[in-house]
Each structure stands twice: as structure tokens, then as C-alpha cells.
Amino acid sequence: MREPRGTPAPVGAVRRELARLGRHPRKRLGQHFLSDAGIARRIVELAQLDGTQRVLEIGPGLGALTQQLLPHARELWLIEVDRDLAARLRRQYEEQPQVHVVEADVLSVDLAALLGAGEPAVVVANLPYNIATAVLTALLAHPRCVRRMVLMLQREVVERLRAQPGTKAYAALSVLTQFAARLRPGLRVGPEAFVPRPKVESEVIVVEPHAAPPVRVADATLFTRLVRTVFTQRRKQLVNSLRPLCSDPTVPLRAANIDPMRRPETLSLTEFAALSDALGMMGNTTSRLSDGSVDD
């Protein structure tokens, strides 16, 4: 995947606008403002908009993506946690009733209530790295609300999302995301496309929730609990990492035809599904794990 050149980044324009607002990028909010219009256009192209869709942008900031999205969206929701930037967006789009500015932390927003019962929305976001995994988890929990996501993430996170069994990057995040959605490549974005420059590389990825998971499981909640449990001890053999869920791990492992000496990072999606169903048949699994976002 080649780096897109885009158009020269108007870094000075971004800095001037921040100065006009009397602002500096806020580290606690993970603010890195996209300043390359060419890359913004490429991101919007990945969203595959034709003017009939409802669009949700998370973290619009100074509006580099917003300006590109507006001509292609029937309705546009902008979720911005920064009070000053949310006020700026409200002023900028006050005469465009199809634009709805929501001043809130996206993790506190009830997406189902916000979007209502209409057609699923397309989500476009340049996500702060410190909340990216939590936001992705929240979005995947609402597949009926979301048709497609085009997300700018830290490249290391994208590598974990698409990692395969037996690789170093393979983790709970890999398994649960691939269970919930199809991943398509987007584009890589260098630090020079942002103000201020982040210390890491970024990548845009397209995430499309499955209409039905690629593997069938009897209990999706148990499947999620299983994956999270064993990856908290990924270096241990399954016969040991499964003990929080059952008293004798050899029983479900034999039923799923999985060697007890294997480690979690070697199991495929299909094998996790078989093991989950075998655990469910035992009927003695525990529920001691948190249902929070996946960060592994």
C-alpha cells in the first residue's frame, strides 16, 4: 500500500485558525488536526457516499473532513467533545439544517437514540489514539446503526485488527473485530498530514459490520467472554488460561478437538467458535469478566 501524496498540507492555515480561536491542541483530548485536503478527499471516497446516506463524523475538530463530507451526505451528525470547536461548528453550519452538532464525548452518546430507527449511518472519524479501541468496540456493538466505518487509527492498532493466528499482533481485538466485521484496506497517512505531528504512523481502514458473523456460535456473549479471558493470559497454554471459565478445561478442549497445550494466539476464529460452543454445552462457565472494551 503506497503512501498517498495528497495536496500540500496547509499547516499554516491550521495554526492560524487555532491562534484565531486562542487555542492550542489539547493533549488530554489527543488532538491532532488533519491538515491535508488531499487525504481528506481520499477518506471521503472510501466512505462511498452518493448523497443519500446519513453520516456520523466523530471528532470533526476544525472541519477538514466535514467540508468534504457535507456535499455527499443527506444528513450529517458531528460529535465533538471540545466545547470551543463544537461552538465553532454550530456557528459555521447554523444555516444548514441537515447538519447536527452534538457536543459530547462519543463514548457517552447513545448511538441508537441519536440516529433513531432510520437506515444505518456511515461513520467517518479521525479518532484520538487513546480512545480508538473503545470507540470501535462501541460502534461494533450497534451493527444496526452502522453500515460502514472509515476510521483513522494508529497503524499499530490497524495491524492488530487484521492480524492472523500465530502472529505477534494477533489478540482479542483481532478475533472480536473479525467476528463482528469485514475489514478493507484504506490508506496510510504520515505524521506530516497533521497539526501537531503525532509520534506514530496512522492508517485509514474501512470496517463493515457483518450481516451475520462468519462463524456461527450458540452464545455470542460467551464467545466474547472466552476470547477476552484467554487473551489476558496469552502466553499460557489453554488448559491453564481457561480455568477462570471452567473447572476442567480439558473437557471443552477435547470436545472442540483442540490440543490443551496450544496457546490462545494460535486459535482461528472457527476454533474459538467451536470452543465457545463446547463451553456452553458444559453449562458451568463463570461471568466474572468485565464487558468493557477490548484493549488487547
Side-chain angles (χ1 to χ4, degrees), residues 4-19:
R5 291 183 177 275
T7 56
V11 172
V14 172
R15 295 193 185 282
R16 285 193 296 274
E17 181 61 17
L18 288 172

Side-chain angles (χ1 to χ4, degrees), residues 25-86:
R26 290 178 174 168
K27 288 185 179 181
R28 69 178 180 84
L29 297 179
Q31 289 179 335
H32 295 275
F33 298 102
L34 182 63
S35 60
D36 192 317
I39 289 176
R41 283 193 293 271
R42 290 281 302 277
I43 291 171
V44 174
E45 288 171 4
L46 288 169
Q48 299 179 21
L49 303 173
D50 61 12
T52 66
Q53 294 94 346
R54 306 193 304 164
V55 179
L56 173 66
E57 184 185 357
I58 299 169
L62 294 174
L65 281 171
T66 310
Q67 296 172 29
Q68 304 286 343
L69 288 168
L70 188 59
H72 305 288
R74 176 165 57 86
E75 282 190 280
L76 179 60
W77 281 265
L78 307 175
I79 300 181
E80 175 57 63
V81 68
D82 187 303
R83 179 181 301 177
D84 296 337
L85 299 183

Side-chain angles (χ1 to χ4, degrees), residues 181-196:
R182 175 182 179 232
L183 306 175
R184 293 198 293 108
L187 60 145
R188 293 182 178 180
V189 183
E192 67 279 0
F194 301 92
V195 175

Side-chain angles (χ1 to χ4, degrees), residues 215-278:
V215 293
R216 297 183 64 181
V217 296
D219 185 339
T221 300
L222 176 58
F223 174 85
T224 300
R225 188 180 302 135
L226 161 66
V227 173
R228 289 176 174 165
T229 301
V230 296
F231 273 105
T232 61
Q233 304 179 79
R234 61 180 295 147
R235 301 304 177 196
K236 287 190 176 183
Q237 296 171 337
L238 286 164
V239 70
N240 295 314
S241 60
L242 275 172
R243 292 196 182 280
L245 291 179
C246 64
S247 56
D248 185 359
T250 62
V251 175
L253 287 165
R254 280 198 303 266
N257 196 30
I258 296 172
D259 184 345
M261 300 298 107
R262 289 175 64 184
R263 289 180 168 79
E265 61 204 36
T266 69
L267 265 60
S268 67
L269 197 59
T270 300
E271 288 174 314
F272 271 115
L275 184 54
S276 174
D277 286 351

